Amino acid sequence: MSSMSRRGFVQVAALAPLAVKSLSLGQKAIPADHFDIVVAGAGHNSLITAAYLAKAGYRCLVLDGRPKVGGGVKTAEFTLRGFKHDTCSSSHSGLYDNPLLRDDELGLREYGLEYIDPDPIIHMPFADGSYLTQWRDLDRTCAEFAKFSKRDAAMYRRMYADYESVKHIFQAVAFSPVGFGKPLNDRLAEHSKGKFWQRRLAMSQWEIIRDNFEDDHCRAFMLTSPWANQPAQNPMTGRLAYASCNQLTTGRPLPKGGSGKLAEALARLIEAHGGVILTNKPVVRLIVENGKCTGVECADGSSFRGEKAVLSTIHIKHLVDMAPREMWGQDFVDGVESWQADCQVFVTNYAVTEPPQFSVAGGTLSPVHASLLAGPERALRFAFDYAIGAANIENPPLHVICCSVADPTRAPAGMHTLKLLGYQPYDLKEGPHHWDEIKEQVSEANLKYFRQFSPNLTDDKILAKVVESPLDIERQNPHNWHGAVHAGSQGPAQSGALRPMPGWAQHRMPIPGLYQTGATTHPGGSVTGAPGRNAAMVMLKDFGTSIEEVVKTSRK
Ligand SMILES: Cc1cc2nc3c(=O)[nH]c(=O)nc-3n(C[C@H](O)[C@H](O)[C@H](O)COP(=O)(O)OP(=O)(O)OC[C@H]3O[C@@H](n4cnc5c(N)ncnc54)[C@H](O)[C@@H]3O)c2cc1C
């Protein structure tokens, strides 16, 4: 599968079966100091950075501590053979806006990446037997709101139009490194409705929804996805009130074959351009020589040098311990110490013999995505439970994901994968380790609540399950520090020029030669690839070229 290239380093043939198995220096004669860039951690963001750098001709070595690349973008058969579960993310909505995919900048689709766009986008059943379904069609979705309130339907249409008119501004900010181009407020100031948006962004999500929607079903629907990000009543969460409007255009795309197909395609692209990927290589130390970061050392004692740079996606809480404190500077250390986790999830994955069936007029509906939220009050209660460290199993807000409905390759014929994702704090009053004692009970409570809406999934339909508490989510990937699905809170204190901390938001770290990408950097977590592409922009600029140049050359 691998061969020695003319340039004298290990090269993996394009479109070869995925070469992400662990190699060691003993097995392959890779000179330890023969790479331009060493990448520590192989989440989708750092793989994207490495893909642009490899396209630019830099020799990249990517190291990951786990047996498989991808981090939160991974698929595995961990319940039963043939059932392909996404270990974390399933929907890649944010990536659709990334020029990497939108403009196919690197020809990624040639490496086995294909997306499915489920319709309906999401279905929300209510305890009173009613439901609201979001379809890819605006009129059809507005008709769903109109079942509850014609006024709310008109408001949804108006909010959708308002959001569409400024969406390009949010995208431009997300897909630019901090300091590259104008900041959000300046861009909004140039827009005809800029003042309206400046106020909206400063408001809370709840204020906007409460003031503009009269019916509680519609309000609950408008609160669906955002509770995973920040409490709806927090100031400066106003943009989340528009999350479902944004979702109407992007949908909730799924990679065919599993979320991990994205990471696999990126790995193939990197290998096809001379890169090497080694797994089971936890990085434990940064090598700093003459004040410059020149490489990394792994837990097994192996070390690797990058002649030009080291790129990390190691969580900043761990990174800071990998070089002497004085090298970071006090501002950086203070920024790390005050970093907040927030937003933790609780997941049970099932192998099942049939998909969830929700009652709708004239029969049942089996969507890929469904959302359960008892009402607006339950969403507001969420912040309180987190604050007091309580695992609340009363009417638990749940996200129900059954990818195999739209993608039969995920399970044996006629069978399905099912994920029930709830929201629970990592820091329980009794301490995070208490999760090991109560996780089965919480999982059962989630299943019981879910069955009120989808009674067909009785015990005989469940073949196997795997439960993961917020503590388990941290155990599977150290980048999910304290179980945080986005590596840390995405509130105003950790956003934009403050992510990961003031003064260090441009992917360049205080130690020369060291760059940072991933969810701890702007614009944060989720599968957007924005931190990855933005880091590539900064690094390429520092190397005397540009992302535009690389894309232009790669298209020739
Ligand atoms: C249960 C769950 C469901 C989710 N669902 C969605 C969803 O549907 N849609 C969505 O957009 N987002 C979702 N997310 C969030 C999303 O998965 C993450 O925000 C995203 O994957 C972060 O990507 P990343 O590239 O920044 O880092 P990660 O994916 O976290 O990758 C970091 C990598 O670095 C490696 N690493 C860390 N430390 C070291 C070290 N010291 N040495 C070597 N390697 C190291 C890790 O092994 C990992 O491979 C979900 C998250 C969870 C937990």
Side-chain angles (χ1 to χ4, degrees):
M1 192 153 60
S2 299
S3 62
M4 292 301 284
S5 77
R6 274 176 289 123
R7 291 148 82 193
F9 57 91
V10 174
Q11 185 157 32
V12 181
L15 285 172
L18 194 62
V20 291
K21 64 175 187 281
S22 178
L23 305 176
S24 76
L25 285 176
Q27 292 165 318
K28 299 270 171 184
I30 306 166
D33 58 352
H34 211 92
F35 296 94
D36 294 316
I37 320 281
V38 171
V39 181
H44 80 288
N45 279 304
S46 49
L47 289 169
I48 286 173
T49 317
Y52 281 99
L53 295 171
K55 272 270 184 187
Y58 296 106
R59 291 160 292 155
C60 296
L61 170 68
V62 183
L63 305 166
D64 199 278
R66 306 291 298 170
K68 224 174 154 184
V69 297
V73 176
K74 219 152 42 186
T75 303
E77 298 183 13
F78 56 72
T79 55
L80 294 174
R81 203 185 173 95
F83 290 83
K84 296 174 186 150
H85 301 278
D86 295 331
T87 57
C88 291
S89 69
S90 289
S91 124
H92 292 185
S93 318
L95 196 71
Y96 261 28
D97 296 327
N98 190 324
L100 168 74
L101 213 67
R102 190 192 62 202
D103 305 335
D104 200 20
E105 284 185 334
L106 299 182
L108 190 57
R109 290 176 196 269
E110 289 164 32
Y111 295 88
L113 184 63
E114 194 183 328
Y115 276 94
I116 296 169
D117 295 298
D119 197 17
I121 299 170
I122 199 159
H123 175 75
M124 195 162 190
F126 298 104
D128 61 8
S130 63
Y131 58 90
L132 202 163
T133 310
Q134 184 181 38
W135 300 90
R136 294 188 64 86
D137 180 75
L138 175 62
D139 291 341
R140 201 171 172 193
T141 300
C142 288
E144 292 281 316
F145 278 87
K147 292 188 305 195
F148 301 102
S149 157
K150 290 203 167 36
R151 184 171 165 264
D152 287 357
M155 179 50 67
Y156 184 75
R157 191 182 289 280
R158 188 172 132 195
M159 282 178 68
Y160 174 78
D162 282 344
Y163 191 77
E164 280 298 293
S165 77
V166 288
K167 191 176 172 178
H168 64 283
I169 295 181
F170 293 126
Q171 283 176 2
V173 171
F175 293 104
S176 304
V178 169
F180 282 44
K182 293 179 183 170
L184 180 61
N185 253 331
D186 293 6
R187 292 184 198 246
L188 285 176
E190 292 166 2
H191 190 272
S192 59
K193 289 197 78 179
K195 292 187 174 59
F196 166 88
W197 277 101
Q198 282 169 335
R199 168 60 58 83
R200 288 262 144 158
L201 296 186
M203 289 172 78
S204 77
Q205 178 194 10
W206 172 237
E207 285 169 332
I208 295 173
I209 292 171
R210 180 199 60 204
D211 291 356
N212 290 286
F213 291 86
E214 60 184 11
D215 179 87
D216 269 355
H217 302 86
C218 299
R219 287 173 167 177
F221 180 81
M222 295 301 290
L223 286 162
T224 48
S225 61
W227 68 69
N229 294 313
Q230 293 160 69
Q233 58 271 53
N234 277 15
M236 303 191 78
T237 51
R239 190 177 156 198
L240 295 176
Y242 294 82
S244 85
C245 302
N246 182 49
Q247 185 173 268
L248 197 93
T249 5
T250 52
R252 285 183 161 259
L254 311 169
K256 187 175 175 191
S259 189
K261 291 289 173 190
L262 169 63
E264 291 178 13
L266 286 162
R268 284 198 175 103
L269 191 152
I270 293 164
E271 289 176 335
H273 290 80
V276 173
I277 296 171
L278 305 181
T279 53
N280 290 315
K281 287 280 185 194
V283 170
V284 292
R285 195 174 73 84
L286 299 172
I287 300 171
V288 183
E289 293 162 322
N290 300 322
K292 184 172 183 276
C293 184
T294 54
V296 300
E297 190 180 304
C298 296
D300 60 8
S302 56
S303 61
F304 303 91
R305 280 183 169 70
E307 282 171 18
K308 286 196 89 66
V310 171
L311 170 70
S312 146
T313 191
I314 295 168
H315 199 282
I316 51 163
K317 287 276 186 186
H318 306 140
L319 189 69
V320 75
D321 292 329
M322 294 188 186
R325 288 261 154 160
E326 61 274 14
M327 290 185 168
W328 299 102
Q330 196 55 42
D331 285 350
F332 189 89
V333 173
D334 288 345
V336 172
E337 278 170 5
S338 56
W339 183 263
Q340 303 292 312
D342 283 0
C343 184
Q344 293 110 359
V345 296
F346 182 102
V347 185
T348 310
N349 278 287
Y350 300 91
V352 290
T353 58
E354 57 185 61
Q357 293 167 2
F358 300 100
S359 291
V360 293
T364 59
L365 183 72
S366 294
V368 171
H369 293 278
S371 200
L372 310 180
L373 177 60
E377 299 80 13
R378 188 62 183 86
L380 299 176
R381 172 76 197 271
F382 170 76
F384 179 71
D385 294 331
Y386 265 67
I388 62 167
N392 189 341
I393 54 174
E394 193 189 328
N395 297 340
L398 289 178
H399 197 72
V400 182
I401 306 164
C402 184
C403 296
S404 48
V405 167
D407 180 3
T409 69
R410 305 275 189 123
M415 307 278 172
H416 291 272
T417 58
L418 174 68
K419 173 158 66 182
L420 291 192
L421 187 147
Y423 303 90
Q424 299 288 353
Y426 170 94
D427 277 316
L428 295 174
K429 274 178 274 194
E430 302 84 352
H433 286 93
H434 189 55
W435 272 116
D436 290 340
E437 285 164 48
I438 63 166
K439 70 179 185 182
E440 288 299 330
Q441 186 195 337
V442 171
S443 175
E444 279 307 309
N446 287 349
L447 182 63
K448 188 171 169 210
Y449 183 64
F450 159 72
R451 280 175 172 159
Q452 289 181 29
F453 302 90
S454 178
N456 67 306
L457 278 173
T458 44
D459 281 349
D460 55 314
K461 313 279 170 42
I462 297 177
L463 304 175
K465 71 169 182 180
V466 170
V467 183
E468 282 183 310
S469 71
L471 181 61
D472 296 322
I473 284 170
E474 178 180 51
R475 284 170 176 150
Q476 62 155 267
N477 175 358
H479 198 227
N480 297 330
W481 179 75
H482 281 200
V485 297
H486 298 131
S489 165
Q490 313 226 103
Q494 293 182 187
S495 288
L498 307 187
R499 196 171 185 93
M501 67 270 304
W504 305 106
Q506 270 201 346
H507 303 281
R508 302 181 187 103
M509 292 291 96
I511 304 176
L514 177 66
Y515 294 82
Q516 176 78 355
T517 185
T520 61
T521 63
H522 166 75
S526 291
V527 184
T528 65
R533 187 176 178 276
N534 290 345
M537 287 173 79
V538 172
M539 293 178 79
L540 289 165
K541 184 170 184 240
D542 288 356
F543 299 165
T545 177
S546 69
I547 203 156
E548 292 78 17
E549 192 59 34
V550 173
V551 171
K552 201 168 74 191
T553 314
S554 86
R555 282 184 174 148
K556 276 184 187 156

